[in-house]
Amino acid sequence: MSSQSAAISFSNVSKRYQGREALKNVNLNIAQGELVYLTGHSGAGKTTLLRLIAAVESPSTGNVLVSGQNVSALGLRGIPFLRRRLGLIFQDQKLLFDRSVFDNVMLPLVATGNAYGEAMRPARAAMAKVGLLERERAWPVALSGGEQQRLCIARAIVNRPAILLADEPTASLDREYAQTIMDMFRSFHQVGVTVLIATHDRALKIGRAHV
């Protein structure tokens, strides 16, 4: 598989922070529609790798390609268009606690220029997918930890992304809820979404592993 045909490709990628090397000479190809998990101890560079894909960080050396595009060459104007293809679920959930579940899910649609009325249907479809439709008027603070994580997933998939990135999505959940979340990722993968999950939990093996 060539880097141009891959959903995500790293070519000799390194990332340094103030002299400390978080990633060193990483080479990685993930095919379109593949489900992959990254596993490793805390500080191994899993979060850094996801942040490079989402253009939150830039590589110190090497190239990161997403759907054939060199992320470093996109520029400030190109990054928002890249992120429209991505669903992002990071450890810092960044939920808006002064807005309802419904409004949290609507936010990415409104931010990308969709009219409020047009955005209502896909927002409700995303909430239904994760089992939160009946709680659309609740405040996030009223949700359990597992429900808040499902809210983050609904917000991440509302734009129907081609690639879904999840950083320790089950870290604060009990085993039963964790498996429910992982089953959701499997269902997204089954309809063609490329899914990359970073986790320290080796018991949640559901795809190809990169350690």
Side-chain angles (χ1 to χ4, degrees):
M1 176 178 57
S2 71
S3 60
Q4 291 294 327
S5 64
I8 299 167
S9 177
F10 278 52
S11 177
N12 297 316
V13 172
S14 296
K15 178 63 179 179
R16 290 182 291 276
Y17 297 100
Q18 298 178 338
R20 182 182 67 84
E21 210 153 41
L23 294 173
K24 183 177 180 180
N25 295 332
V26 175
N27 292 283
L28 172 68
N29 282 305
I30 297 175
Q32 299 280 352
E34 191 171 9
L35 188 156
V36 177
Y37 71 95
L38 297 163
T39 185
H41 59 80
S42 178
K46 302 186 300 298
T47 297
T48 298
L49 189 144
L50 296 185
R51 288 170 68 87
L52 290 173
I53 296 169
V56 178
E57 305 274 1
S58 298
S60 301
T61 58
N63 293 311
V64 177
L65 273 63
V66 178
S67 300
Q69 293 183 299
N70 188 329
V71 173
S72 298
L74 289 176
L76 292 178
R77 292 185 178 181
I79 289 173
F81 292 97
L82 166 73
R83 290 180 183 161
R84 289 180 190 180
R85 295 181 51 80
L86 305 177
L88 307 176
I89 305 164
F90 287 126
Q91 292 185 63
D92 181 1
Q93 296 175 334
K94 298 189 184 302
L95 294 175
L96 301 178
F97 285 90
D98 61 343
R99 302 192 188 188
S100 68
V101 166
F102 180 79
D103 287 334
N104 268 270
V105 177
M106 284 277 286
L107 188 63
L109 295 169
V110 174
T112 52
N114 292 273
Y116 192 88
E118 296 173 351
M120 292 175 69
R121 183 174 179 180
R124 289 202 168 103
M127 286 184 288
K129 183 71 174 178
V130 302
L132 284 180
L133 188 55
E134 293 182 357
R135 308 217 63 189
E136 66 174 67
R137 293 303 171 191
W139 300 106
V141 72
L143 304 181
S144 68
E147 288 172 329
Q148 288 186 6
Q149 192 68 307
R150 283 190 277 156
L151 172 54
C152 292
I153 293 171
R155 187 179 57 187
I157 66 170
V158 72
N159 270 327
R160 297 185 177 181
I163 299 170
L164 188 59
L165 307 177
D167 188 12
E168 298 287 2
T170 63
S172 60
L173 306 180
D174 61 32
R175 179 61 60 188
E176 182 178 355
Y177 240 151
Q179 195 55 60
T180 297
I181 296 297
M182 298 306 269
D183 289 344
M184 287 182 190
F185 290 129
R186 185 182 292 112
S187 71
F188 302 143
H189 164 242
Q190 288 172 346
V191 295
V193 178
T194 304
V195 182
L196 177 57
I197 302 167
T199 178
H200 69 279
D201 190 347
R202 292 175 178 268
L204 294 171
K205 294 180 179 179
I206 54 173
R208 178 161 64 95
H210 290 280
V211 179

